[in-house]
Amino acid sequence: MRLLLIEDERTLCDAVARRLRRLGYSVDLAYDGEQALQLLEVECYDLVLLDLNLPKLDGMSVLRTLRQTDRETRVLILSARSGTADKVDGLDAGANDYLSKPFALAELEARIRSLTQRQFIQPDVCLSFGTLRFDTRSRIAAVNGQDVSLTKKESGILEYLLLNRGRPVSQEELIDHVWDNSVDGFSNAIRVHISALRKKLRAAMGYDPIHNRIGEGYLLGGPEE
């Protein structure tokens, strides 16, 4: 999952980003409203975490501008404004959820899980394919009950393929949803991670469940396909 965290308090911003990255999320950072809109124009995010008190352009203006062209991207407001009127204004402007500061990181993580699972219409915490299971909370993959050790990027790739079962996922789409904006789309990084993931799954499942459809992308499939 790829997130955009928009927060001008750098200490808080960096702390939240570190925590989310440890959980397997890819996180881009913006410290003011203008920078946030620039990123939103060129990048695709599964969720935006938006502070309201921002320099250059306030968070409500960022939200309203985003909603003029994008009604789909989930937005979670993080704000010290805890009044009912502020929450109503934020939700009416197009936010999907509102979390008042100060907040516990555990609650933030739960809100993120709820919003991203709703986005992909995925009610179950555990995703499955044949004998393969992936727990989206613990970030643990297992085959026939035996854990498969995966890196954060490998887990992110597997989760996204499981969420999009039945259709090919392009390399560009994986960049958008699993990597942050530091990756070079022409680099070999994605192919290296996918190759490593396929090797591990092949060893655990007895076959390679990931197929590469030329010109289309990567697709989960059975040994007979």
Side-chain angles (χ1 to χ4, degrees):
M1 298 291 178
R2 189 175 183 185
L3 314 181
L4 174 60
L5 174 56
I6 309 167
E7 167 65 63
D8 71 322
E9 188 180 337
R10 297 203 176 213
T11 300
L12 173 63
C13 189
D14 293 343
V16 171
R18 284 195 300 271
R19 177 70 170 261
L20 295 177
R21 285 165 179 158
R22 284 198 295 269
L23 293 173
Y25 296 103
S26 294
V27 184
D28 290 345
L29 305 178
Y31 299 108
D32 63 65
E34 290 183 358
Q35 182 186 16
L37 285 181
Q38 290 171 1
L39 286 172
L40 288 167
E41 286 179 0
V42 298
E43 304 291 351
C44 179
Y45 294 100
D46 299 301
L47 177 65
V48 175
L49 308 176
L50 175 64
D51 184 28
L52 294 182
N53 295 321
L54 296 171
K56 298 186 179 181
L57 190 67
D58 67 87
M60 288 294 288
S61 296
V62 171
L63 178 58
R64 292 191 178 103
T65 301
L66 173 67
R67 287 301 184 232
Q68 289 176 6
T69 56
D70 182 349
R71 304 295 304 180
E72 301 300 322
T73 300
R74 301 279 172 166
V75 176
L76 168 58
I77 289 178
L78 308 175
S79 177
R81 305 178 196 173
S82 57
T84 299
D86 294 310
K87 295 179 181 179
V88 170
D89 287 345
L91 295 171
D92 283 347
N96 301 94
D97 200 356
Y98 195 112
L99 183 60
S100 300
K101 296 179 182 178
F103 52 80
L105 287 176
E107 182 178 1
L108 174 62
E109 293 163 17
R111 301 284 187 103
I112 291 172
R113 285 195 300 270
S114 176
L115 286 170
T116 54
Q117 287 165 9
R118 268 186 267 159
Q119 178 177 359
F120 288 104
I121 319 175
Q122 177 58 49
D124 298 326
V125 172
C126 187
L127 306 174
S128 63
F129 176 79
T131 58
L132 172 65
R133 300 288 184 274
F134 182 76
D135 190 306
T136 60
R137 289 186 180 175
S138 65
R139 316 297 297 167
I140 293 175
V143 173
N144 292 319
Q146 298 296 312
D147 290 354
V148 179
S149 179
L150 302 179
T151 66
K152 291 179 183 179
K153 291 303 182 191
E154 291 164 2
S155 294
I157 293 169
L158 177 60
E159 179 182 30
Y160 197 75
L161 291 175
L162 286 165
L163 286 167
N164 291 276
R165 278 188 60 184
R167 71 174 184 86
V169 174
S170 69
Q171 179 170 298
E172 292 75 16
E173 192 172 347
L174 286 172
I175 290 175
D176 285 341
H177 292 275
V178 181
W179 266 259
D180 56 33
N181 60 6
S182 63
V183 72
D184 180 355
F186 296 99
S187 75
N188 200 40
I190 295 175
R191 287 187 292 274
V192 169
H193 285 288
I194 289 178
S195 177
L197 173 62
R198 296 175 75 168
K199 182 177 180 181
K200 292 177 181 180
L201 294 180
R202 186 186 303 113
M205 301 177 72
Y207 69 95
D208 184 357
I210 301 175
H211 300 275
N212 185 7
R213 289 190 176 178
I214 304 301
E216 296 184 72
Y218 299 96
L219 176 72
L220 283 174
E224 73 284 354
E225 297 181 18

